[in-house]
Amino acid sequence: MPDMSLHETPMLLRYWDHVGGTLAEEFAAVRGSATVSLRRLGGVIVPGAERRRVARTALDLAGKDIIVVQAKANRLGMYLIGQALFSRELMKPFRPASIRTVALCAKDDSVLRPLAEEYGIEVVVDEPGPGT
């Protein structure tokens, strides 16, 4: 089973350090079958919940506020924005109370950020501190 990249996992974990809550990495939003591909999201966070990492299938999201995070270790681009936009839609069947959608990237883009924000996607630029 593929996991996030060497660069994207640390980005996700730094973001999680900032927001707290319970984190499920590589959350399976859609199970694979003969007619559909498996769809994993970078991370799903339940803010305000106990601070811990859980298995990608161990979250009950019904009625909870959630943050869906998609990460790319490069400049904000259309691929990442598309992932973030559709990730929100894929999470609706889990019946969360609310869905915040975050596009986590290494560099901003002054043209694409306003477009992403028009669709309710938060753009977060990962700025690791010294030694990270």
Side-chain angles (χ1 to χ4, degrees), residues 20-54:
T22 299
L23 168 66
E25 298 169 70
E26 293 290 313
F27 184 85
V30 176
R31 294 176 193 246
S33 74
T35 61
V36 67
S37 294
L38 171 69
R39 300 281 184 243
R40 287 199 180 119
L41 313 183
V44 174
I45 299 170
V46 180
E50 178 185 353
R51 181 173 177 73
R52 62 188 176 117
R53 290 164 81 174
V54 298

Side-chain angles (χ1 to χ4, degrees), residues 6-76:
L6 180 64
H7 301 289
E8 293 162 355
T9 297
M11 292 172 66
L12 175 63
L13 295 177
R14 283 190 292 272
Y15 179 77
W16 176 56
D17 281 341
H18 176 70
V19 299
T22 299
L23 168 66
E25 298 169 70
E26 293 290 313
F27 184 85
V30 176
R31 294 176 193 246
S33 74
T35 61
V36 67
S37 294
L38 171 69
R39 300 281 184 243
R40 287 199 180 119
L41 313 183
V44 174
I45 299 170
V46 180
E50 178 185 353
R51 181 173 177 73
R52 62 188 176 117
R53 290 164 81 174
V54 298
R56 59 186 67 154
T57 57
L59 282 181
D60 174 16
L61 302 174
K64 297 183 176 124
D65 297 320
I66 65 169
I67 303 170
V68 176
V69 182
Q70 289 287 12
K72 290 290 171 238
N74 47 33
R75 185 176 301 278
L76 177 66

